[in-house]
Amino acid sequence: MTGTVEGCAGPGFGSVPRKEDGRFVRGRGRFVDDIALPGMLHGAVLRSPYAHARIRSVDATAAESHPKVRAVITGETLAARGMAWMPTFSHDVAAVLATDKVRYQGQEVAFVVADDRYAARDALALIDVDYEPLPPVADARRSLDEGAPVIRDDIADRTDNHVFDWETGDAGATEALFARAAHVSECDLVYPRVHPAPLETCGTVADFDRISGKLTVHTTAQAPHAHRMLYARIAGIPEHHIRIIAPDIGGGFGNKVGMYPGYLCAVVGSILTGAPVKWVEDRSENLMSTSFARDFHMHGEIAADADGHILALRVSVLADHGAFNATAQPSKFPAGFFGVFTGSYDIAAAHCRVTGVYTNKAPGGVAYACSFRVTEAVYLVERLVDVLARDTGRDPAELRMANLLTPDRFPFRSATGWEYDSGDYPRALRTALDMVGYEEVRAEQKQRRVAFERTGHGPLTGVGMSVFTEAVGAGPRRLMDIMGLGMADGAELRVHPTGPAVLRLSCMSQGQGHETTFAQIVSHELGLPVDAVEVVQGDTDNTPFGLGTYGSRSTPVSGAAASVAAGKVREQARQVAAVMLEVAADDLRWDVGTGGPEGGSFSVKGVPGVSVTLREIAMAAHGGLDLPDGVEGQLAASTVYNPPNLTFPFGAYVCVVDVDPGTGEVDVRRFVAVDDCGVRINPMIVEGQIHGGLADGIGMALMELVAFDDDGNHLSASFMDYLLPTAMECPPWELAATVTPSPHHPLGAKGVGESATVGSPPAVVNAVLDAIGVRHADMPLTPAHVWRALQGRPIRPDIAIR
Amino acid sequence: MQVPAFFEYQRATSVEHVVTLLERFGPEARIVAGGHSLIPMMKLRLAQPELLVDVNDLHELSGISVSEGELRIGALTRHAELLASPVAGEHFPILHDAERVIADPVVRNRGTIGGSVCQADPSEDLSGVFTSLRAVAVVRGTGGDRTVPMREFFHGPYETAVRPAEILVELRVPLRPGAGSAYVKVDRRAGDWAVAAAGAVVSLDADGVVTEVGIGLTAVGDADFTAVEAEDLLRGRVADDDAFAAAGAAAAEHCRPTADQRGPVDYKRHLAGELTVRALRAATARAHRGGFPE
Ligand SMILES: Cc1cc2nc3c(=O)[nH]c(=O)nc-3n(C[C@H](O)[C@H](O)[C@H](O)COP(=O)(O)OP(=O)(O)OC[C@H]3O[C@@H](n4cnc5c(N)ncnc54)[C@H](O)[C@@H]3O)c2cc1C
C-alpha cells in the first residue's frame, strides 16, 4: 500500500492475519450444507415456469405416494396455518407458496420433504400444477401503461402496478437554479438488475423439537436476531422458543438478509414430520428467486454556471421492485439512501423523485453491497459529472476538483439533508491522480487515438474516475428501523478469571473477518492479545440483540458497541484495581501495554512500580477481594450502541482501460483506489474488502446482468449466463489510504465493506466511454454493448438482446 | 443442490466393451468422458440417460502422436494435455491458441477432445478448429472403424455423425508442412463460451499465394463450422490485407448467427468477419512461403 496513512496506529490495530483463516484455508469451515443432523430429511422447491399465471389447481397426490416422500407442502397447506403470505421489509406482503397466482418465473409453488435430496427433486416432477398463463409485465417502462396486466390483484382495490412515489430535496430551489444555469446536461441511465450471487447459496436446516416446542434454525442469516423475530411473527412460535444459528457464511452481500420461502417451508416441514429438514437452494434458484439488486431507470439533469460550477441536480427514477415490494432497507426509506445522490460535490440544490413499480420479476432491489442504494446514487452523479465535462469541453478531473467539498465544510449538511461527518475529498483525488500519473496517461491516450485514426486499429485508451461518498452504519434509532426494530446493536464482553475474554456480538460475518477485527477492538481497549479474545456471533441464544451485518454497519455500530463495552470493563477493572492497590480509582493511570497476555495495567499516578495487570485484576475480580458497594465483581459489561449518525467513508478511484474498437473488448489495465474509511483497525482486512468490491465493480460495469425476455423468462440463471469477474479481468489493484477519522465513532472508524462496490462501477464505465468517445451507454459494457455503442446504437440492457 | 435423475453406471474396460454396452442399452446409454458437458446437463435434467458408460479407464483412447503424416489425437486426450503438447503446438499453433481460451484450467484438466466435438455445442471452440484443419474423425462400432471428415461430422446442434452404438476413437489431422494456423476468439470473460471465434490454416507458395486455406467459425450459426465461401475466395490469391478483407466479408455474409445475451446478430456477423481477418493475418504470419521440409 502506498500513500499516507496516519492515525491508524494504535495498540491492537494493524494487519494481523485473520483468525478465521486457519479453518478456511484448511477446508474446515462449517457451512449450512455441512450440517447433518440425525434423521435429517431434505427439501426441494417446485418453482413456476411462468412469469405470470393463474393457478387453477395443484395436485400433489402422485408426489405424496413416492416411497421416499414424507410431506408435500403447497400454498393450501400454508394457508391453513395462516402462513401462505409473509410480511416484507417494505410494508408489503410476499407469497410464501403461491395460492392464487405465480408472479415471476422461479416463484415457489410447492415444497417436497423426502428422505434424500435426490428423491425430493424427483418428486417435484410428480406434482401437477394447472396454470393459466397470463400476459406478464417484463418491461418496467410499460408497467404503468394503461391496460397493463395488474400483478398484485391480491391487494384489494389494486388497479395498477404502482408501488410508491417518493421525493426528496427542494424542487423549487432546484428549479430556480436550473432556470438560471448557463449549462444543463441530461442523461438517461439504467443501473441494471444484478445479483449478489454469493458463492454459498442460501440454505437452512430447520429442527423443530415437538417435546420442548423449541425451533432451532441453522441458516445463512446475515441478521440472526431479525430473523428470529420474523419466524416468531410468521410461524407464530414464541420468540424465546426460537434459536437461530448462523454457521460460517460463504458470502452474503445482502443476499442473506431477507426471509425466503424455502426457509419457512423447511420449518413447516420439520413441524409436520418431526424431523430436521435441510433445504439448500441451487445456483439457478439463487439467481432466479432471491433478492436481486438495483434495477433503477434514472433520468438525471445537472446544471452548471459558465465557469463549470455545479449548481443543482435533478433526478427522476423508475424503480423496478419486482412482484413484491420486499426491499431490505430501513422502513422509512422507500428508495433506500438514494437521497445522498449529490455525492461529493458542493451542490446548492437538488431534487429527486422515485416511482416504484411492480413487474413480473423476483423481489429485492437492495442488495449486493449497495449501502441501501448509495451505489445507484454514486453511479448517477459520477456519470452525470462526466457527461457535463464532455458537454462543456472540460477535463473530468479538473471539473471534479473544482466542485468537490473542501475539508473546511465538514460536518456538511447536503442539499437533501444528509449530514456528512468528515472528509477530505481533494486530497483523495489528488493522491489518486498522482498515483496513476494522470498527465502521462492522458498523453498516451492521445497517441493511441491518433494512431487509431491513422490505421483503423486499436487499442483505444480511456481514463475514468469517480470520487464517491458512502453513507453507512445504519443507523440512528429515531430515524431508522427495520420492521419496527431500531438499528442499535448490543455487545457483551466478559474477561475470564485467567485473563482471556469473550465478546458476544449481534452482527454476523459473511467473510468480513469479524473474529479478527472485533478481537482487535477489544485488544485495543484492554491490551489483551488478539488471540485471547474469542468472538461469538451468529447464535441468538448466545449473543445480545442487534440488527446484523449489511450496509457496512458492523464496525460503525457493533464495532462502536464493542469499544464501549470494553471501556466499561476497563472502568470496572479500575475499581477493582483501586481496591487491590488501596488507592482511589482516580489515582490510577491506565497503560494499555504491548498486547501481551497480561493485558493492560493500572499503575498509581506518581508512584513508579506500583501496578496491577488486567490479568491480575481479572482473577481478583472473581476472587475473595472485599469490594466496596457499587462494585459488583467479575469483569463483564454489556452495552447497546445507538449510532448518533451514519459514517461517510469516501474515496477517489481512477481506472485505465484499453478498448479494442474492432471487437468491443475491454481490458482494465489499471485501477487506482484511494479509500478513506477513517481509522483502519486491520488495514489488511480493509484492503481485502476493497479488492472484492473493485472486482464487483468490474463485474457490474462489464459483464454482470440479470435480463428478461418478453415472456418474463429469466435469462441469467446460471454462472454461464450470469458472469462474475475472475482474476483474469482484474488488474493488480493499486491501493492507497487517507485517514479522516469519523468524529462521532469511538474509534474514529467508518464502514468500508461496500465502498469499493459503490465507487468502482462509474470509474470503469467512465473509462470505457472515455476510450470510445461515446457520451453514454449502459452497463454492462460487454463487447457487444461497446461495439454497438461505437456504432451509435447502444443496447438497452434490461431486456433481451434481439 | 442440483442433482441428476436416476441412472445406471458402468466403467468400461475396453473400447469393445463400450460398443457392446451401447449396443445392448440402445440410445438411452451415453458415454461419459470428462463429464463437463454431460453432467451439467444431467443436473439440470436436460439429459436423463439411463446408463452412463465411463470411458476414463481406456488409456488407449488418449495420447497425442505423429504417425503416417498425421497428427493423431486420442478422443480421451484432455484439453490440458493438448495445450501442453509440444508436438501439437509445433505443427498447429491453432491448437494451443484455442486451448488457451477454452474454459478454465479446472475444466481443461478433465474435459476431453472427444467429448468436446461429440457434444457438438454450436459454440464449441474445437469444432471450428478441427474443421479448419480438415481433420478426420475415426469412429468405431460393431462393424469396426470408419472415418468421417470433420467437415461432415456435425449434423446440427448437439448432433454428430457418431451413431448411438459408436464411439469416437481419435482425430487425425493431416500434417501440412509450412502451413500457418491461428485461432482468435471474443468472449465476455475468461472462461466464457465464444461470442464468436475464427480459426484459420493457411498454406502459401513461394510467391505468397494461398495454395490451401481452412477457415473455421464458431458460435455464428454455421452448421458445419466452416466458412467455405471465404476459403474459395482466398485460394489462389496473394495473402494480403485486401484478400483477407474480402474473405472476412464473405465469412460475415454467409454466417447465420442468432441473437442471444452474448450479442445481437449484427455484432456477431461483424465479428465473424473481423475475426476471420485477424485469424488469417495471424496464420499467414506463421506460414512459411513455399512450405518447408518437415
Ligand atoms: C465452465 C465450463 C466452461 C467451458 N467453456 C468452454 C469454452 O470456452 N469453449 C469450449 O469449446 N468448451 C467449453 N466448455 C466445454 C468443455 O470444453 C467441454 O465440456 C468438454 O471438453 C467436453 O468434454 P468432456 O470430456 O467433458 O465431455 P462429456 O461431458 O463427458 O461428454 C460430452 C458428450 O460427448 C459424448 N462423448 C464423450 N466422449 C465421447 C466419445 N469418445 N465418443 C462418442 N461420444 C463421446 C458424451 O456422451 C456426451 O454426449 C466449458 C465447460 C465448462 C464446464
Side-chain angles (χ1 to χ4, degrees):
Chain A
M1 189 169 74
T2 46
T4 33
V5 189
E6 73 262 16
C8 75
F13 292 175
S15 294
V16 301
R18 302 198 328 162
K19 291 167 69 177
E20 41 275 84
D21 286 343
R23 65 178 187 278
F24 290 139
V25 298
R26 289 175 175 86
R28 299 297 286 271
R30 190 172 153 80
F31 300 87
V32 165
D33 207 14
D34 294 321
I35 293 169
L37 300 180
M40 188 173 77
L41 304 175
H42 296 263
V45 175
L46 181 71
R47 294 177 182 277
S48 168
Y50 295 102
H52 200 191
R54 195 160 298 288
I55 296 181
R56 290 207 197 93
S57 64
V58 179
D59 180 359
T61 36
E64 280 163 343
S65 57
H66 186 292
K68 287 184 167 179
V69 167
R70 302 294 191 90
V72 179
I73 300 167
T74 64
E76 238 172 76
T77 325
L78 295 183
R81 311 178 78 91
M83 278 181 67
W85 295 82
M86 60 178 172
T88 70
F89 288 139
S90 292
H91 314 287
D92 195 358
V93 290
V96 179
L97 292 177
T99 47
D100 54 340
K101 288 203 305 190
V102 286
R103 293 175 171 82
Y104 58 92
Q105 191 187 46
Q107 190 185 333
E108 298 80 356
V109 175
F111 188 84
V112 170
V113 181
D115 290 347
D116 59 58
R117 57 191 182 199
Y118 294 89
R121 283 269 162 158
D122 290 348
L124 295 182
L126 303 175
I127 300 174
D128 191 12
V129 185
D130 186 6
Y131 294 104
E132 176 193 337
L134 300 170
V137 179
D139 180 349
R141 295 178 200 175
R142 311 298 302 274
S143 61
L144 297 178
D145 284 1
E146 191 81 35
V150 179
I151 297 166
R152 295 301 300 280
D153 47 2
D154 57 295
I155 305 171
D157 304 328
R158 267 255 157 227
T159 53
D160 62 20
N161 297 312
H162 181 264
V163 187
F164 64 83
D165 281 315
W166 175 82
E167 60 183 309
T168 187
D170 186 333
T174 306
E175 175 55 38
L177 286 177
F178 267 86
R180 68 173 178 80
H183 182 88
V184 173
S185 285
E186 295 184 39
C187 192
D188 286 308
L189 322 91
V190 180
Y191 207 132
R193 182 174 279 235
V194 290
H195 198 278
L199 282 192
E200 180 205 29
T201 59
C202 300
T204 195
V205 179
D207 185 8
F208 183 73
D209 185 325
R210 283 179 177 173
I211 309 298
S212 66
K214 182 144 185 170
L215 171 69
T216 305
V217 186
H218 307 260
T219 189
T220 46
Q222 294 179 228
H225 293 274
H227 271 211
R228 183 177 58 191
M229 185 199 75
L230 285 173
Y231 285 108
R233 280 216 185 147
I234 299 166
I237 299 169
E239 209 166 342
H240 67 298
H241 279 178
I242 303 174
R243 178 181 184 189
I244 309 296
I245 302 176
D248 286 328
I249 295 183
F253 312 102
N255 194 215
K256 294 164 180 168
V257 174
M259 177 58 61
Y260 295 122
Y263 296 165
L264 290 167
C265 288
V267 170
V268 174
S270 183
I271 292 172
L272 291 177
T273 60
V277 173
K278 176 188 277 188
W279 170 75
V280 178
E281 64 186 1
D282 65 35
R283 180 61 56 198
S284 300
E285 294 180 290
N286 180 256
L287 288 167
M288 288 179 82
S289 70
T290 61
S291 64
F292 73 91
R294 328 279 193 257
D295 220 338
F296 252 36
H297 300 244
M298 304 182 273
H299 176 75
E301 297 167 86
I302 186 166
D305 68 15
D307 301 326
H309 291 115
I310 302 170
L311 303 172
L313 274 180
R314 189 159 52 198
V315 189
S316 64
V317 180
L318 181 71
D320 184 341
H321 280 236
F324 307 107
N325 185 22
T327 47
Q329 64 202 3
S331 308
K332 300 180 190 80
F333 293 80
F337 293 176
F338 184 75
V340 74
F341 67 95
T342 55
S344 309
Y345 305 100
D346 190 0
I347 298 177
H351 182 255
C352 96
R353 192 189 305 278
V354 181
T355 297
V357 295
Y358 290 123
T359 59
N360 286 113
K361 303 175 191 173
V366 166
Y368 199 172
C370 70
S371 305
F372 303 122
R373 297 206 194 267
V374 183
T375 30
E376 289 92 323
V378 164
Y379 181 70
L380 172 93
V381 65
E382 289 305 310
R383 209 55 284 290
L384 279 182
V385 169
D386 255 41
V387 166
L388 176 67
R390 182 190 158 96
D391 288 353
T392 58
R394 289 189 162 80
D395 177 89
E398 281 167 27
L399 181 65
R400 282 180 171 81
M401 206 53 109
N403 284 284
L404 287 176
L405 289 165
T406 47
D408 53 301
R409 302 290 301 279
F410 293 86
F412 170 77
R413 199 175 165 76
S414 80
T416 48
W418 299 73
E419 189 172 308
Y420 297 9
D421 58 349
S422 63
D424 186 345
Y425 302 158
R427 174 171 66 156
L429 179 55
R430 245 188 333 268
T431 308
L433 293 172
D434 287 348
M435 281 172 69
V436 82
Y438 190 61
E439 306 300 326
E440 295 85 61
V441 179
R442 284 284 180 212
E444 185 190 347
Q445 173 183 35
K446 209 168 275 167
Q447 282 172 4
R448 290 257 168 96
R449 176 55 73 178
V450 169
F452 169 72
E453 269 148 25
R454 205 180 54 241
T455 65
H457 297 305
L460 292 168
T461 293
V463 191
M465 66 199 73
S466 78
V467 183
F468 66 91
T469 297
E470 259 273 56
V472 303
R477 236 182 187 149
R478 75 196 146 80
L479 299 176
M480 296 173 194
D481 70 276
I482 300 259
M483 294 189 91
L485 299 172
M487 301 187 79
D489 282 2
E492 293 172 6
L493 178 67
R494 165 172 292 277
V495 179
H496 299 304
T498 56
V502 57
L503 174 69
R504 299 175 190 281
L505 296 171
S506 59
C507 59
M508 177 61 208
S509 180
Q510 310 121 46
Q512 294 93 336
H514 288 182
E515 287 165 55
T516 308
T517 299
F518 283 84
Q520 288 183 271
I521 293 173
V522 174
S523 172
H524 176 78
E525 299 288 357
L526 298 182
L528 291 169
V530 174
D531 282 341
V533 184
E534 180 74 6
V535 174
V536 178
Q537 54 181 345
D539 177 350
T540 54
D541 271 9
N542 285 303
T543 55
F545 188 87
L547 271 265
T549 294
Y550 46 84
S552 301
R553 64 187 299 281
S554 296
T555 297
V557 188
S558 279
S563 166
V564 170
K568 285 187 179 179
V569 165
R570 194 173 54 231
E571 287 317 300
Q572 290 172 355
R574 182 191 296 274
Q575 301 298 330
V576 177
V579 178
M580 291 168 76
L581 296 172
E582 299 179 346
V583 295
D586 285 349
D587 292 336
L588 292 175
R589 196 173 58 85
W590 170 251
D591 177 359
V592 74
T594 56
E598 289 297 323
S601 61
F602 281 106
S603 55
V604 182
K605 287 177 188 164
V607 188
V610 180
S611 69
V612 281
T613 66
L614 187 73
R615 176 140 85 165
E616 292 163 344
I617 298 168
M619 184 50 88
H622 290 82
L625 201 64
D626 208 5
L627 295 168
D629 287 351
V631 182
E632 288 183 331
Q634 305 188 357
L635 292 182
S638 70
T639 195
V640 176
Y641 187 81
N642 176 30
N645 187 5
L646 301 176
T647 65
F648 293 77
F650 60 94
Y653 292 171
V654 183
C655 176
V656 182
V657 301
D658 288 336
V659 177
D660 182 337
T663 61
E665 290 169 295
V666 174
D667 175 28
V668 179
R669 179 146 56 95
R670 292 183 64 193
F671 203 109
V672 170
V674 179
D675 270 277
D676 192 324
C677 57
V679 171
R680 294 183 174 204
I681 295 161
N682 185 320
M684 178 197 72
I685 287 180
V686 168
E687 289 187 16
Q689 294 287 294
I690 293 167
H691 285 184
L694 297 179
D696 287 344
I698 285 182
M700 280 176 278
L702 301 184
M703 61 196 80
E704 293 181 40
L705 174 68
V706 178
F708 295 83
D709 69 12
D710 293 346
D711 297 326
N713 291 310
H714 188 293
L715 301 177
S716 316
S718 80
F719 274 166
M720 271 171 36
D721 306 294
Y722 189 82
L723 297 180
L724 294 177
T726 73
M728 301 294 284
E729 284 73 41
C730 297
W733 310 117
E734 300 170 60
L735 304 190
T738 60
V739 176
T740 312
S742 169
H744 64 75
H745 187 278
L747 300 168
K750 302 180 177 185
V752 74
E754 301 166 315
S755 283
T757 311
V758 165
S760 56
V764 181
V765 171
N766 286 342
V768 174
L769 297 177
D770 181 56
I772 62 177
V774 167
R775 187 172 182 267
H776 179 70
D778 287 318
M779 297 184 280
L781 294 169
T782 66
H785 284 80
V786 171
W787 185 80
R788 280 284 291 264
L790 268 166
Q791 309 301 308
R793 293 177 295 122
I795 292 174
R796 189 176 150 189
D798 57 317
I799 54 178
I801 292 178
R802 344 167 183 256
Chain B
M1 192 189 171
Q2 280 155 344
V3 288
F6 181 84
F7 61 90
E8 309 255 6
Y9 173 86
Q10 293 258 13
R11 227 173 152 85
T13 52
S14 67
V15 175
E16 286 60 42
H17 187 203
V18 176
V19 174
T20 310
L21 287 170
L22 293 176
E23 184 88 1
R24 188 174 334 135
F25 281 81
E28 295 313 317
R30 289 285 276 277
I31 291 171
V32 63
H36 272 320
S37 291
L38 184 54
I39 306 284
M41 295 213 313
M42 288 170 63
K43 288 166 88 174
L44 292 168
R45 301 195 174 203
L46 296 172
Q48 301 204 2
E50 285 167 12
L51 170 72
L52 281 193
V53 181
D54 186 337
V55 298
N56 282 282
D57 284 346
L58 307 183
H59 302 294
E60 66 266 39
L61 285 179
S62 58
I64 300 165
S65 61
V66 169
S67 168
E68 297 174 34
E70 293 171 329
L71 178 73
R72 297 186 169 178
I73 306 169
L76 199 62
T77 306
R78 313 281 167 186
H79 289 297
E81 293 173 84
L82 185 57
L83 179 56
S85 162
V87 64
E90 175 197 324
H91 290 287
F92 299 110
I94 185 175
L95 293 170
H96 284 184
D97 288 353
E99 283 297 357
R100 242 177 246 121
V101 294
I102 290 176
D104 51 52
V106 180
V107 173
R108 293 199 294 257
N109 282 340
R110 193 92 195 127
T112 65
I113 310 310
S116 290
V117 295
C118 290
Q119 178 68 18
D121 186 294
S123 304
E124 202 82 48
D125 288 294
L126 289 183
S127 304
V129 169
F130 286 114
T131 54
S132 69
L133 287 168
R134 292 189 168 77
V136 171
V138 181
V139 177
R140 189 170 301 166
T142 38
D145 286 359
R146 65 188 181 97
T147 57
V148 184
M150 285 309 283
R151 291 179 174 220
E152 294 161 22
F153 186 82
F154 300 105
H155 291 182
Y158 313 103
E159 303 212 353
T160 70
V162 184
R163 295 174 193 135
E166 287 183 331
I167 176 170
L168 174 71
V169 178
E170 112 184 321
L171 294 175
R172 297 181 179 169
V173 189
L175 297 186
R176 292 218 243 145
S181 65
Y183 191 74
V184 282
K185 167 177 175 175
V186 168
D187 51 21
R188 295 171 299 175
R189 189 205 64 191
D192 185 24
W193 293 82
V195 180
V201 185
V202 175
S203 297
L204 302 174
D205 71 11
D207 300 323
V209 171
V210 176
T211 54
E212 186 52 290
V213 58
I215 299 173
L217 286 178
T218 282
V220 287
D222 275 295
D224 53 5
F225 296 91
T226 317
V228 182
E229 297 81 1
E231 292 173 347
D232 291 345
L233 220 140
L234 209 55
R235 209 177 288 108
R237 278 184 73 164
V238 175
D240 59 14
D241 277 349
D242 285 347
F244 298 157
E253 187 190 335
H254 292 283
C255 69
R256 301 219 317 264
T258 49
D260 59 17
Q261 287 304 97
R262 291 192 170 78
V265 168
D266 59 349
Y267 173 62
K268 292 186 178 185
R269 194 178 288 289
H270 162 78
L271 278 187
E274 176 74 21
L275 298 184
T276 295
V277 171
R278 292 185 185 197
L280 284 168
R281 207 183 283 136
T284 302
R286 286 168 175 171
H288 294 263
R289 288 181 175 214
F292 72 102
E294 281 287 306

